[in-house]
Amino acid sequence: MVSPASLNGKLAIDVKDVGELRQAARQNSPEALKGAAKQFEALFMNMMLKSMREATPQDGMFSSDQTRMYTSMLDQQLSQTMASRGLGLADALFRQLSTKLADTAVPGEDGISSILPPSAPAVPMSMPTLQPAPGADSIKPNAAQPAHVRGFVERLASHAEEASRATGIPAKFMLGQAALESGWGRREITARDGTPSHNLFGIKAGAGWKGKVVEAVTTEYVNGQPQTKVEKFRAYDSYADAFKDYARLLSKNPRYENVIANAASAEGFAQGLQRAGYATDPHYAAKLTRIIKQTMSA
């Protein structure tokens, strides 16, 4: 397996390393994507330097095929050095590809793999699905909970239970995540005219999304630091549609395979989501575990 660190130490322009670049991108992990994105930043820098060279006169007293060759080699190394320090392009590409991976069930249909040279065809991955015990996915409001929590549970419990039957993930885990993402429904993403998006899970609208879209201000963590951005999010006609789409995302996307496999506990579910890159908040797993355990318990 190729690590991002090993890729960063090589020339991105090297043809023999393109296969390793593809392999790293297909790992679908944040670390692999970062390494591959940095290589594309180096490629872009090299192309830019080449264009600048071609725009200047090439004929002169000291110009020859040999000097041009050494100049090309210098540009390759310079582009790699500049990319290793970071120009921002790799970070932007990483964020875009992370979003795209959330919209595709087969690696290579979106993201870095789709723009690399073709190789062996991708083989669809089979997804394990947990079979919940009878009654294990049933949720009832707790009289000891605050009124807004009880109202949230009463309004959405049936949709969470249906999604649980489709994925095997306990309904209270999904309802807890909806509560975390939407602030118990009080911070639901809305359109500019106030129309509700019914998006309770903060799912972004990547290139593969063909449905309705709303824009909203969100906080993303880059290198552990919060940054405010405007992003596009999916919009649904109902909360039932939102839960169905969320269930499809977790059960059909190989990126979340380990989330399904570790959904036997609140910790395993929450940590699996964070490792898969569902959210950039470094404390996401801890927050979700706390909501599920303390607030969603019957």
Side-chain angles (χ1 to χ4, degrees):
M1 184 173 292
V2 181
S3 67
S6 64
L7 279 174
N8 289 341
K10 299 180 178 180
L11 286 176
I13 203 67
D14 234 343
V15 176
K16 67 183 180 64
D17 293 328
V18 171
E20 295 182 0
L21 182 59
R22 171 187 289 275
Q23 181 181 349
R26 283 184 170 176
Q27 291 176 23
N28 284 353
S29 69
E31 292 77 15
L33 282 182
K34 287 179 181 178
K38 191 170 289 294
Q39 291 300 298
F40 271 92
E41 186 175 54
L43 280 170
F44 175 81
M45 290 302 303
N46 185 262
M47 292 171 61
M48 184 176 69
L49 290 172
K50 182 179 180 181
S51 297
M52 293 171 62
R53 297 285 187 190
E54 293 175 348
T56 59
Q58 299 296 313
D59 296 327
M61 181 181 300
F62 302 102
S63 179
S64 66
D65 290 340
Q66 188 176 30
T67 59
R68 282 191 287 271
M69 180 188 69
Y70 283 117
T71 299
S72 176
M73 294 173 62
L74 174 63
D75 288 346
Q76 291 177 21
Q77 190 60 54
L78 181 60
S79 63
Q80 190 75 15
T81 302
M82 295 173 67
S84 66
R85 295 177 180 176
L87 300 174
L89 177 62
D91 291 337
L93 182 59
F94 171 71
R95 290 193 297 270
Q96 181 182 7
L97 293 174
S98 297
T99 301
K100 285 185 177 182
L101 282 174
D103 297 324
T104 175
V106 181
E109 290 183 352
D110 277 315
I112 284 182
S113 298
S114 65
I115 56 178
L116 289 171
S119 61
V123 179
M125 299 175 63
S126 59
M127 299 296 299
T129 301
L130 299 178
Q131 297 300 324
D137 58 347
S138 179
I139 300 178
K140 294 181 180 180
N142 187 340
Q145 295 170 335
H148 72 278
V149 174
R150 293 197 305 272
F152 186 84
V153 173
E154 290 172 352
R155 186 167 71 253
L156 301 172
S158 61
H159 303 316
E161 290 164 3
E162 183 177 350
S164 175
R165 288 189 287 271
T167 62
I169 299 173
K172 69 177 183 179
F173 290 6
M174 291 183 280
L175 202 56
Q177 189 179 7
L180 175 61
E181 291 283 350
S182 69
W184 297 102
R186 294 180 294 187
R187 296 196 308 269
E188 180 185 337
I189 300 170
T190 59
R192 292 182 180 179
D193 62 358
T195 303
S197 68
H198 298 102
N199 187 339
L200 296 169
F201 296 96
I203 302 177
K204 293 178 181 176
W209 175 248
K210 306 303 180 183
K212 295 186 293 185
V213 172
V214 295
E215 289 188 346
V217 177
T218 183
T219 300
E220 298 289 346
Y221 287 79
V222 180
N223 297 324
Q225 299 299 317
Q227 296 183 7
T228 302
K229 300 181 179 181
V230 176
E231 301 280 4
K232 292 182 178 180
F233 294 85
R234 301 182 184 185
Y236 310 97
D237 292 327
S238 66
Y239 293 123
D241 289 342
F243 272 89
K244 289 177 182 177
D245 186 51
Y246 171 78
R248 280 193 299 269
L249 177 66
L250 292 195
S251 61
K252 301 298 183 182
N253 193 325
R255 178 180 181 181
Y256 298 106
E257 182 177 10
N258 289 331
V259 177
I260 300 288
N262 293 288
S265 68
E267 293 90 343
F269 174 68
Q271 292 170 4
L273 284 172
Q274 183 156 345
R275 283 194 297 267
Y278 190 97
T280 58
D281 183 351
H283 305 294
Y284 190 82
K287 292 176 182 178
L288 178 54
T289 301
R290 185 165 56 249
I291 284 184
I292 294 173
K293 283 190 169 183
Q294 295 180 358
T295 315
M296 297 307 303
S297 58

